[in-house]
Amino acid sequence: LFLAAGLSKVGATMQTLAAVYSYQITLPDWVANAVAAGLPWVEILLGAGLLIGLGLRFYLPLAAVVLGVFTILTAQAWW
């Protein structure tokens, strides 16, 4: 899931930026741009790490945090 999501966002920074803004949170532009540029690579690294299975003590908690943040942001955007 993470690997596919990250690969779909690579090279699509403007679409990723639009997705960041769609969560309706107030962010400075530089933070939103940094998230849009960095999120695909975090997702690719996380997906590859989980798929390979090395360093699971690092990747599993990171996956839980990423999924938790996504869940909270999605819930507040729908609220």
Side-chain angles (χ1 to χ4, degrees), residues 3-74:
L3 193 56
L7 289 172
S8 72
K9 291 177 186 133
V10 171
T13 305
M14 294 307 292
Q15 289 87 350
T16 305
L17 184 60
V20 169
Y21 281 124
S22 74
Y23 285 101
Q24 303 171 5
I25 54 175
T26 305
L27 292 174
D29 288 338
W30 69 271
V31 173
N33 286 324
V35 169
L39 184 61
W41 301 107
V42 170
E43 289 176 336
I44 290 169
L45 179 66
L46 184 55
L50 290 171
L51 190 62
I52 293 169
L54 296 175
L56 289 179
R57 288 185 182 198
F58 172 76
Y59 291 113
L60 287 175
L62 181 60
V65 168
V66 170
L67 288 173
V69 169
F70 174 74
T71 301
I72 290 167
L73 291 176
T74 301

